[in-house]
């Protein structure tokens, strides 16, 4: 399998915030944003693997800024690292200023997807070669995040989380 670049999986979803998607403060529901991020991230993972993908975990979500009714919201997702069958996808959320058109970062999240065959069994995915400085940073930290996610899910022992331990020792 030929390695790919993160840019090959780049997925951009732009949409409005409608009244049915807001809370009593007239801001976008967190759950609606999670769903938009999941959709964009799953397309990115499919673009990287060209396989069926399932969400294995949501590793990190930061709702740093409320997004108000009528906002134009852009969700950008890109595979930051692939392992054997799993892919880490980074999602950046931007809000566009109505008048100037300037974009402000509102939120970010990191999801993990696993490529599977028709019976749901994990299958191998292409390796990834990061290009930009940000892609390299995200690639290098991804193994640590994978180990943390597996540790919290009870799928590895603390003694196997070598990258995490290296942070503290
Ligand atoms: C014309 C019309 C066409 C229509 C066409 C429609 C197509 C429209 C497509 C839309 C696409 C939508 C995409 C939505 C995606 C969902 O919303 S899917 C629904 C929600 N998710 C699920 O139901 C997943 C349920 N879980 C599972 O199936 C299994 O747990 C998994 C994720 C496959 C993992 O299976 P497992 O037995 O644990 O397998 P295992 O070999 O131990 O692990 C496999 C990999 O997962 C990793 N992993 C497992 N758990 C974790 C974890 N908690 N954290 C991090 N990594 C983990 C392992 O480390 C391993 O990684 P690699 O070292 O291989 O890279």
């Amino acid at each position: 399998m030929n390695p790919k670049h993160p840019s090959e999986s780049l997925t951009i979803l732009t949409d409005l915030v409608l009244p049915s998607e807001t809370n009593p403060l007239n801001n976008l529901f967190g759950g609606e944003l999670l769903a938009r991020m999941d959709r964009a991230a799953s397309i990115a993972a499919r673009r990287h693997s060209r396989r069926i993908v399932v969400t294995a975990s949501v590793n990190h979500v930061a709702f740093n800024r409320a997004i108000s009714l009528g906002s134009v919201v852009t969700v950008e997702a890109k595979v930051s690292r692939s392992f054997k069958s799993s892919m880490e996808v980074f999602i950046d959320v931007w809000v566009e200023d109505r008048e100037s058109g300037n974009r402000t970062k509102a939120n970010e999240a990191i999801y993990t997807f696993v490529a599977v065959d028709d019976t749901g069994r994990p299958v191998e995915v292409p390796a990834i070669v990061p290009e930009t400085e940000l892609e390299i940073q995200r690639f290098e930290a991804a193994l640590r995040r994978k180990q943390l996610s597996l540790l919290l899910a009870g799928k590895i022992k603390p003694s196997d989380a070598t990258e995490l331990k290296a942070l503290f020792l």
Side-chain angles (χ1 to χ4, degrees):
M1 250 183 287
N2 289 333
K4 290 183 163 182
H5 298 298
S7 56
E8 293 174 74
S9 65
L10 176 64
T11 302
I12 303 175
L13 284 184
T14 300
D15 205 353
L16 280 172
V17 177
L18 299 174
S20 60
E21 296 160 342
T22 58
N23 64 18
L25 295 172
N26 279 337
N27 293 322
L28 181 65
F29 278 125
E32 170 61 26
L33 185 58
L34 287 173
R36 290 187 192 191
M37 293 194 290
D38 196 37
R39 275 199 291 276
S42 70
I43 295 169
R46 278 175 68 116
R47 283 181 170 160
H48 181 77
S49 63
R50 293 290 164 206
R51 304 297 299 233
I52 300 170
V53 296
V54 293
T55 315
S57 69
V58 177
N59 309 70
H60 165 81
V61 186
F63 293 112
N64 294 323
R65 224 194 96 172
I67 302 176
S68 59
L69 177 63
S71 297
V72 172
V73 181
T74 298
V75 175
E76 285 186 7
K78 234 180 351 181
V79 174
S80 42
R81 183 153 178 179
S82 58
F83 297 92
K84 195 162 165 237
S85 65
S86 65
M87 293 156 279
E88 182 191 81
V89 182
F90 237 95
I91 303 128
D92 297 300
V93 180
W94 304 87
V95 176
E96 194 176 306
D97 183 84
R98 227 167 281 161
E99 284 166 18
S100 66
N102 291 340
R103 298 191 331 163
T104 311
K105 175 98 174 266
N107 306 93
E108 66 177 32
I110 305 169
Y111 284 49
T112 299
F113 286 82
V114 175
V116 295
D117 65 15
D118 291 344
T119 65
R121 271 205 310 258
V123 290
E124 275 191 43
V125 297
I128 200 156
V129 180
E131 293 178 296
T132 68
E133 201 176 311
L134 181 61
E135 287 170 0
I136 292 167
Q137 267 175 30
R138 290 178 169 181
F139 176 94
E140 284 175 352
L143 180 56
R144 196 159 66 224
R145 289 189 289 268
K146 179 179 168 76
Q147 290 186 349
L148 180 61
S149 178
L150 291 173
L151 190 64
L152 293 175
K155 294 189 170 181
I156 60 170
K157 292 189 279 206
S159 55
D160 295 330
T162 47
E163 287 288 309
L164 273 182
K165 276 199 294 191
L167 274 183
F168 302 103
L169 300 176

